[in-house]
Amino acid sequence: MQRLAEQHGPAPFAPHPFPLRPPYVVLLSSIVGQQLSGKAADTIWRRLTGRFALEPEVLYQAPTEDLRAVGLSYAKARYVQDLSRFALEGGLQGIESLPDEALIGHLTQVKGIGVWTVQMFLMFGLGRPDVWPVLDLGIRKGAQKLYGLSQRQELEALGERFRPYRSHAAWYLWRVLEQ
């Protein structure tokens, strides 16, 4: 892990500087990118941002067919609309101050947002330093490659070694897969 830190520099989570983006946009991006390659997700994201303002009012009122025309599946178009409804009803107000588990419970009320999506939001939207997404395929593959671990219990135990900076360790495990 030390070698990865030296090679890639600091992970983009607290206490290091991290890009702060609006929660709605981060969650919207996560929904768009679910179960897609990075290239496919980027293409759909560019089409979405080219056609629509990334505002809850706009996307909530957008016809499903128009959302599908940018490349979203029917299910993802519905998820985008449900997230937009949730935002319009105030569901995203003050979420930055919620503890991790409370935020997971709160955001998983939205269709299309599961535990993994909230964990990515905690890390990349809020810069939280101690998130350990053991269900993430990249984390599992990185841990297998670097440590020879693949079972969930082994991954949970590995995460304990890095507490309270498990987000940082996760980020470096993703870097392992780029080599």
Side-chain angles (χ1 to χ4, degrees):
M1 196 62 70
Q2 178 67 31
R3 179 183 57 77
L4 290 166
E6 290 169 0
Q7 183 178 1
H8 296 283
F13 312 109
H16 304 122
F18 58 93
L20 199 55
R21 298 184 302 156
Y24 177 75
V25 173
V26 175
L27 291 165
L28 182 63
S29 174
S30 293
I31 288 172
V32 169
Q34 288 171 352
Q35 301 177 337
L36 295 176
S37 71
K39 185 176 180 179
D42 289 345
T43 298
I44 293 170
W45 184 254
R46 278 194 308 276
R47 289 179 192 157
L48 182 70
T49 59
R51 184 161 181 186
F52 299 100
L54 299 183
E55 300 292 335
E57 305 85 16
V58 172
L59 292 172
Y60 180 69
Q61 294 175 9
T64 304
E65 303 79 40
D66 291 353
L67 293 171
R68 297 212 49 216
V70 300
L72 294 174
S73 67
Y74 178 77
K76 284 189 184 179
R78 301 293 303 203
Y79 300 161
V80 165
Q81 290 172 325
D82 197 49
L83 172 63
S84 300
R85 174 205 52 81
F86 189 75
L88 289 169
E89 292 173 353
L92 299 180
Q93 292 176 352
I95 62 171
E96 298 88 350
S97 63
L98 291 175
D100 294 359
E101 289 304 316
L103 189 55
I104 289 170
H106 182 68
L107 289 178
T108 54
Q109 298 175 71
V110 178
K111 291 178 185 140
I113 295 182
V115 172
W116 178 88
T117 302
V118 181
Q119 288 176 327
M120 295 304 108
F121 174 71
L122 286 165
M123 293 171 75
F124 296 105
L126 300 179
R128 301 258 174 107
D130 194 36
V131 179
W132 189 237
V134 295
L135 299 178
D136 182 84
L137 182 60
I139 297 301
R140 294 193 321 255
K141 285 184 175 183
Q144 175 68 38
K145 186 173 179 179
L146 193 61
Y147 296 105
L149 305 176
S150 61
Q151 301 300 312
R152 184 173 178 162
Q153 285 181 320
E154 295 172 320
L155 294 172
E156 294 286 355
L158 176 66
E160 290 305 310
R161 291 173 48 188
F162 301 112
R163 191 180 288 274
Y165 296 106
R166 294 179 297 173
S167 298
H168 298 250
W171 190 78
Y172 291 121
L173 287 177
W174 286 316
R175 305 291 75 78
V176 166
L177 301 177
E178 296 170 354
Q179 300 175 342

